[in-house]
Amino acid sequence: PQTPAQRGRSAARTVAKSAMLSLLQLASLFATGLVTPSQLTTLISSSLRPSSYLATSPAAARRVADACAELEATAPPPLWPRDLRRLDGSWRLIYSSALAGPQPPSPLDGLPAPPAALLAAVESAPFAPLGGGVQQNVDVFKRRIVNVVELSPWPTGSLGGLLSSAPGPLGQASKQLQAARVVLELDHSFSADGDGSDGARRAAAGSTISLTLEEVRRELEGAAGGGDDALAMVPRASSYSLPPPLQLLASGKFATTYLSGSLRISRAVPPLPSAPAELRVFVREGGGDEGATWQEEEDARTAAAEEEAAAAAAAGADAVEAEGGEGGAVEEQEDGLYFDEVPD
């Protein structure tokens, strides 16, 4: 078995190799002057730690940010609501600057990467997002965005192993939670530039979406255990609807700066101009239809409204007919009684 010093040197070599690979990839990207979506996803994969959203170093995170800016410059951003249907479908988050780790000013890029042991401790912390475990489901017609986040409910790695060996209920619960995960569904409503939420509809107004968190749903999956242990008292699922005051605090805006059939780049719109803006990169899951247009959305809205109006009219006609039938029966009964009483 390796000594701690040997493991440290091995981890350092792995980080250095990954950094060199990402540098070579970035050089090849800029040599052509054109960054493609597939090249960006390859660069991101080599710039993050395995099965993690943490960057291998601040310099690696900066290279991803530079490549995103290069790709954004190759095409104009989408415009809502004309291009809004292109968002519809499921997307997987592959990069977030907020999860990649601290990014000091560029003059400090030459500083050594954080120790591998420190990065591993951050990744094994409770409720750290699992790499590749953030999915975004967009329903344009219903104006809903659901972020599905997978978290570890208990420390993993060395700390998790230490807790699992503890005696009593703590060790038992830790063993049962080692393979468990918490799945959070963050259900948002959203509005887009030009979609009429501000009282005016325009075909091509902008690329900003306003999100408001309205409900949080939680599910515990993969936890082992029987019916007699303490873990059995933890609800496997729950949900919470945010009251309006909290919804205001859980709202935000994101600008989509690049959108293709397979990849999307979005940037948070900070409340203050000087505040840092989170960079997010998504890839589309399972293909999906991204060719719908503004006119197709308008046609779908019109068809839905006409269908709803027709259903309401049919229900009203049935009610009138039923009411008329009851009245006719009463009149016939009254007429019968009247004529029975007329003497011959």
Side-chain angles (χ1 to χ4, degrees):
Q2 290 183 327
T3 65
Q6 290 173 327
R7 286 196 296 270
R9 286 193 295 269
S10 177
R13 285 193 297 268
T14 301
V15 171
K17 183 179 179 181
S18 177
M20 180 60 68
L21 179 61
S22 59
L23 275 173
L24 292 174
Q25 289 171 335
L26 189 65
S28 66
L29 299 185
F30 293 143
T32 61
L34 293 175
V35 179
T36 66
S38 61
Q39 289 173 328
L40 177 60
T41 57
T42 300
L43 177 64
I44 289 175
S45 178
S46 65
S47 300
L48 300 181
R49 288 169 55 84
S51 302
S52 173
Y53 284 114
L54 275 176
T56 55
S57 68
R62 191 173 305 283
R63 288 192 290 270
V64 171
D66 291 342
C68 286
E70 289 287 328
L71 183 57
E72 290 167 333
T74 63
L79 293 176
W80 315 142
R82 183 192 66 194
D83 302 319
L84 197 56
R85 289 298 295 274
R86 297 172 60 193
L87 277 183
D88 203 75
S90 295
W91 300 82
R92 180 168 54 87
L93 180 71
I94 61 171
Y95 182 81
S96 166
S97 60
L99 301 176
Q103 298 176 35
S106 54
L108 301 179
D109 282 350
L111 293 177
L118 175 61
L119 296 177
V122 173
E123 291 169 342
S124 63
F127 296 104
L130 303 177
V134 178
Q135 182 173 316
Q136 188 175 83
N137 301 320
V138 183
D139 189 328
V140 168
F141 191 72
K142 294 181 179 179
R143 294 295 193 267
R144 309 297 301 183
I145 291 180
V146 180
N147 290 336
V148 183
V149 184
E150 294 183 9
L151 307 171
S152 174
W154 199 256
T156 57
S158 301
L159 179 58
L162 179 63
L163 292 175
S164 297
S165 62
L170 177 61
Q172 182 184 15
S174 180
K175 290 178 182 177
Q176 294 169 351
L177 289 171
Q178 283 301 298
R181 60 177 184 168
V182 172
V183 180
L184 295 180
E185 293 188 358
L186 310 177
D187 196 344
H188 304 76
S189 63
F190 79 87
S191 61
D193 289 340
D195 69 353
S197 56
D198 59 354
R201 288 183 62 81
R202 297 175 296 279
S207 59
T208 300
I209 282 180
S210 300
L211 290 168
T212 301
L213 180 62
E214 295 183 347
E215 184 178 6
V216 177
R217 297 183 288 272
R218 178 201 61 87
E219 187 172 353
L220 177 63
E221 299 180 354
D228 299 330
D229 51 33
L231 194 60
M233 302 174 62
V234 178
R236 287 301 191 263
S238 61
S239 62
Y240 176 72
S241 296
L242 275 69
L246 288 182
Q247 291 181 14
L248 294 176
L249 299 176
S251 60
K253 294 184 177 183
F254 284 85
T256 299
T257 53
Y258 178 86
L259 179 61
S260 70
S262 60
L263 185 136
R264 172 163 58 101
I265 300 176
S266 67
R267 295 179 182 269
V269 179
L272 298 175
S274 59
E278 180 186 2
L279 167 66
R280 295 179 178 180
V281 182
F282 297 86
V283 292
R284 186 182 289 275
E285 296 266 77
D289 176 22
E290 59 100 14
T293 63
W294 154 269
Q295 188 59 52
E296 288 172 332
E297 183 182 1
E298 289 295 290
D299 292 343
R301 286 178 174 273
T302 301
E306 290 176 349
E307 184 178 348
E308 185 178 351
D318 291 342
V320 170
E321 183 178 351
E323 186 176 327
E326 293 176 359
V330 171
E331 290 178 1
E332 290 177 4
Q333 183 179 10
E334 290 178 350
D335 289 345
L337 291 173
Y338 174 79
F339 285 114
D340 286 343
E341 294 173 1
V342 175
D344 295 334

